Amino acid sequence: MAKELTPNATEFFKFDVAHDLEFFNSGCCVIVANRWSDVLADVADNMYTRALF
């Protein structure tokens, strides 16, 4: 059975789910994203994406 990530999930495939962007950004050394988003501009040095910006 396939799992789906729900808005209130605290875990997904045994990984913690962060709902607070500042907490997420402060706890990451590397961020891999599908697309660039301006909300991640403060962590751009640690971000890798397939989007060209």
Side-chain angles (χ1 to χ4, degrees):
M1 174 188 269
K3 291 187 177 188
E4 292 187 29
L5 183 59
T6 60
N8 297 324
T10 58
E11 189 177 272
F12 187 67
F13 286 103
K14 298 185 181 183
F15 290 96
D16 292 334
V17 174
H19 293 281
D20 181 349
L21 188 58
E22 287 184 34
F23 174 76
F24 175 78
N25 289 346
S26 68
C28 293
C29 297
V30 174
I31 298 171
V32 179
N34 192 34
R35 291 182 185 87
W36 169 256
S37 176
D38 289 336
V39 298
L40 297 170
D42 60 331
V43 292
D45 292 341
N46 298 342
M47 188 171 159
Y48 298 88
T49 179
R50 66 184 184 108
L52 299 175
F53 56 91

